Amino acid sequence: MKVLFSCIFILISIHFYAQEKPTLYLIGDSTMADKKNPEENPEHGWGQMLPELMTNKITIENHAVNGRSTKSFLNEGRWKTIYDQLKPGDFVIIQFGHNDQKINSPDRYTNPFTAYRYNLEKFVNQTREKGATPILMSSIVRRNFNKFGTFVDTHGSYPLVVRMLGKELDVPFIDMQWLTEQLEEKYGEEDSRNLHLHFAPGEVAYYEKRKDDDTHLSKMGATLVATLALKEIAKKDLDLKKYIKNQTLKKQIL
């Protein structure tokens, strides 16, 4: 009798969740996060652009926060907040690395082959526990050209660890390092400045002083990066694909 009631409960739960709109959760750092005053602030996180590129049949909750690593995101209880409300049919995009490599910040730094890897594994396993779908992403690149005009990545072993973990755990993996490296090289050393935040003193009201930021994204850069991520999700035929607008998929970026 207990088995019968358990089966009935599971069927009712599946039916209930099937009627509820799925949620896409984003966890990561400032390159993904929503920025305040978007009408005035030139800086945009790529996750901030997703509502414009996806349908209203999915709810998007951007929990990415400036300055966070896998370690600080866990220690501050930010992951627990998401875990407690995850339900079957939801999605979690996981993208960290920029701040995990901050070796002079003990509250954020993680060794790529130990703590960073195991923190990512925790996100993946606990997402699956709730019947939701994890999607791993490597970090987007920083704009970094050497004196010869050659693009040079700055993230060391962190993207490699995400690739390896994705394969080991059979998790959907989107190689944003590769996609954004191609984007930077396509625009070239000079024009790629427009993907980021480069402004002379007084050029925009939001910044009083000169701004030279090769890590964070302009609205243009954030839109292009978000589009690349979604097109790759569609290319891999992930379940999240059905929530992407057709016009997004038709855009030619690379």
Side-chain angles (χ1 to χ4, degrees):
M1 184 64 71
K2 288 184 178 179
V3 174
L4 176 61
F5 278 123
S6 296
C7 291
I8 292 173
F9 176 76
I10 291 172
L11 289 172
I12 291 173
S13 298
I14 292 173
H15 176 75
F16 173 77
Y17 288 125
Q19 304 304 310
E20 192 173 349
K21 186 187 294 188
T23 300
L24 168 60
Y25 294 93
L26 308 177
I27 64 172
D29 52 45
S30 58
T31 60
M32 177 193 275
D34 290 344
K35 309 300 177 179
K36 297 180 180 179
N37 306 317
E39 299 304 319
E40 302 174 9
N41 187 356
E43 182 181 339
H44 289 68
W46 71 261
Q48 187 174 351
M49 314 313 297
L50 292 183
E52 298 178 14
L53 303 172
M54 303 184 74
T55 72
N56 59 8
K57 293 182 179 180
I58 189 168
T59 300
I60 299 172
E61 287 197 16
N62 191 352
H63 289 256
V65 183
N66 291 10
R68 270 49 180 195
S69 67
T70 58
K71 182 178 183 179
S72 59
F73 200 87
L74 283 165
N75 289 345
E76 292 173 4
R78 296 179 184 277
W79 171 244
K80 186 179 185 303
T81 297
I82 297 167
Y83 176 77
D84 287 345
Q85 59 190 7
L86 269 177
K87 63 184 186 298
D90 286 345
F91 302 86
V92 181
I93 290 180
I94 305 160
Q95 185 189 61
F96 289 94
H98 277 86
N99 299 300
D100 284 83
Q101 64 178 164
K102 298 293 178 65
I103 198 166
N104 294 325
S105 180
D107 60 329
R108 295 185 291 175
Y109 174 73
T110 60
N111 181 307
F113 296 105
T114 54
Y116 179 65
R117 181 196 182 283
Y118 287 109
N119 289 343
L120 292 177
E121 188 173 348
K122 182 174 185 176
F123 294 140
V124 167
N125 289 338
Q126 291 193 343
T127 296
R128 285 174 162 171
E129 283 176 14
K130 290 297 193 82
T133 301
I135 300 173
L136 285 171
M137 292 189 176
S138 51
S139 296
I140 67 169
V141 298
R142 299 181 179 95
R143 175 182 172 274
N144 184 43
F145 291 86
N146 67 16
K147 64 180 181 180
F148 303 107
T150 302
F151 182 84
V152 181
D153 187 65
T154 64
H155 284 104
S157 298
Y158 291 87
L160 173 62
V161 170
V162 188
R163 290 187 189 92
M164 293 168 62
L165 188 63
K167 188 171 184 178
E168 180 180 334
L169 298 182
D170 193 24
V171 184
F173 168 66
I174 306 298
D175 197 345
M176 294 305 294
Q177 181 195 29
W178 168 235
L179 293 171
T180 53
E181 179 180 313
Q182 291 181 86
L183 183 66
E184 299 283 350
E185 290 183 332
K186 177 180 178 179
Y187 274 77
E189 184 173 3
E190 184 58 35
D191 288 346
S192 60
R193 294 163 60 92
N194 295 321
L195 303 173
H196 300 276
L197 305 169
H198 288 268
F199 301 102
E203 184 177 348
V204 294
Y206 198 80
Y207 300 121
E208 293 182 6
K209 300 180 180 179
R210 181 181 182 86
K211 185 74 171 177
D212 288 295
D213 183 343
D214 290 314
T215 297
H216 301 99
L217 300 166
S218 64
K219 185 175 182 179
M220 170 188 164
T223 301
L224 291 174
V225 170
T227 303
L228 285 174
L230 293 176
K231 285 174 70 69
E232 190 68 9
I233 284 170
K235 182 179 177 181
K236 291 180 178 290
D237 200 27
L238 305 186
D239 288 343
L240 192 59
K241 173 184 176 179
K242 60 187 174 185
Y243 302 106
I244 304 172
K245 290 180 179 178
N246 288 331
Q247 54 264 45
T248 300
L249 300 178
K250 292 178 181 177
K251 294 179 181 178
Q252 185 63 40
I253 307 297
L254 296 176

